[in-house]
Amino acid sequence: MSVNVEIEGEIAIVTIANPPVNAVNRAVRERLLALAQALDDNPDVRAVILTGAGTLFVAGADIAEFDRPAEPPFLPDVIARIERAAKPWIAAIRGAAFGGGLELALGCRFRVATESARFALPEINLGIIPGAGGTQRLPRVIGVTDAIRIVAENHTPGGAEALKLGLVDALVEEPLLPAAIAFARNALEHALPSPSLDRPVSVPSPDVWAEAEDRIAARAKGAAAPARALQALRHGIEHGAEAGLALERSIFLELRATEEAAALRHLFFAERAALRPAEIRGINPRPIETVAVVGGGTMGSGIAAALLNAGLSVVLIEQDEAGVARARSTLTGIFDSSRRRGQITDDQASERMARLETSIGYGAAARCDLVIEAVFEDLTVKRSVFAELGRICRPDAVLATNTSYIDPRLIAEGLPWPERFLGLHFFSPAQVMKLLEIIPTPETALDVLATSFDLARRLGKIPVRSGICDGFIGNRILRRFRAEAEALVCGGVAIAAVDAAMRGFGFAMGPFEMQDMAGLDIAFLYREAARSRGEHVPDIPGDLLVRAGRKGQKTGGGWYDYAAGDRRPQLSAEAERIIAPLVGARNDVAEETIVARLMAAMAQEGQLILDEGIAASAADIDLVEVHGYGFPRRRGGPMFQAARARADKT
Ligand code: 3H9
């Protein structure tokens, strides 16, 4: 870390250089505090420019420090010192000014920025609120209504919008520093504006608060921070900046110490580490521009949409005209719905469809850099696809199978140049779900592995490498989770009590509601197949339900009953009667016990997966659960939960 100072005539230039993102840690805080004094004492200096080295200003406070108690000098005090400096400080911003970075900029008397600048207070994503004056200075600079969107709703204006909002005083062209120096010299000719904290702010009508509260509550999914950020902002408007700063800091320190914030920090670092596994460091990915997707069903079309969204060209291969027409209509539907939700413009939707080519037969795969097979989950069918691809594709084209259960080694048997082959397990809907399980075979080349991680990054996905086992990481844990849920029911716990406990924990649905939605029959057929191979697979309640014709919502009932056209589960006396032979005496256990049993089952399976070398780290397992299986983000994942439970006991 360094904070450098250069003097250009009467202007001092202070550059925070703390790679990779100029995060503000204790050393940076100490140096800034000392510099504010030293530059005030320097009679030659009339103004100070504060900037960041490289392509961004400052990404925020150093999150790695948050696992320890806060250490002085505290950022609010550093910013207060800069704000009250005798020489005006001017923030010169390109790239991200996030969190504590934006708070530092708000403590400066002026802000100049390039178009590339981006401003955010993303603290709520870490389960905390801004802790260095962001909730107080921002509304005094841009007004309450716009400040609420940035403080509590993740709005991230760029340079041009920031100028309109009044968040920056001037938008300048690169090179940034000469432009900032010219701005500073001009500013020194005029009376200075008030420090941000002293500026008047108009009190909004009560409707503004009520509407913001409603919007925030509707999107919070149980997260505490957004509403608390709004509370701090409002307090400062209603009781003055000093009271606002005090409340902001106390909420920040309170939330920083919560389990929720620790879980979100764990995921923050895990998500970044996932993109850069050690084994492919320094290995160049193969260039990928045109991708063939074989199979245009729900999964294939979703994968094609994800690729098109990322700017790649796609050839979608189907067997006949009807298949092509179905796939085209699915993709049109996907982009239409993104357009209706305002995520893309009409032009962007058309441009995406223009990058889609459809083809009957495999010929077009010959010119593709990557082929992703997404046909029916059946070994013989998949093998016949790769027999064709092996004949047609370039030897350097990467070939991937999208499989959720089948051993990729079996699919690749007989494939020429098998080092270009691996499994890519997408999750449905593939254009939405973030998880990508990457399953190399023992023969997969390292640059092919690197190519798949690079592809994940381009698609905005979270890649997790999985070794080969039945169900890979995610479906293997899911099976154990479901088995434990059924074991609870067999032990006399009510079906609805299990679901309610898991919803209370933060899942959108309980395990039985989820099975009813997805259908009970696939897992049943899987068990029946094992039985027909002579394996000993005892009957479980789900088997009895499927044999009685109860396969879930699609048959009007599974674990629950469903009225026609209504997805809300109703308690089912019939289901209870069917499974009764396997169910013990009624046993009402506490919600925490249910949650603890299911968490322990997931973590035990996760530990086996780690011990067998199937997953590279416990954090990877947490990413699989959070990004592929609806595990509540604010709980950090089953391995995080288990580690915290162990720490509590010691
Ligand atoms: C805060 O500011 C609290 C204050 O209100 C109050 C304080 C009193 N700290 O994302 P990338 C690492 S809370 C430590 O891949 P990009 C990251 O782990 C903070 N480390 O880069 C990774 O490490 P590695 C509020 C950080 O170019 C490397 O930097 N701010 C921090 O795709 C590269 O990261 C935020 O929440 C940090 N603050 O995106 C902003 N940030 O190489 C968080 C990053 O070892 N950061 N790292 O894997 C971001 O959103 C992105 O990093 C950014 C760059 C958009 C800036």
Side-chain angles (χ1 to χ4, degrees), residues 560-575:
Y560 297 93
D561 291 336
Y562 297 87
D566 188 348
R567 286 162 169 265
R568 278 172 305 177
Q570 311 295 332
L571 292 183
S572 171
E574 190 190 331

Side-chain angles (χ1 to χ4, degrees), residues 20-21 23 56 59-64 66 75-76 96 98-101 103 118 122-123 126 128-132 249 252 268-269 272-273 276:
V21 293
L56 82 175
D62 184 349
I63 299 165
F66 288 4
L75 190 57
F98 284 6
E103 292 175 303
R118 284 186 302 144
E123 284 86 344
L126 294 165
I128 55 175
I129 70 166
R249 186 71 183 169
F252 166 77
F268 177 91
F269 288 116
R272 280 156 176 87
R276 299 185 262 274

Side-chain angles (χ1 to χ4, degrees), residues 159-171:
E161 188 188 345
L163 181 69
K164 275 195 210 129
L165 290 172
L167 177 52
V168 301
D169 302 285
L171 204 58

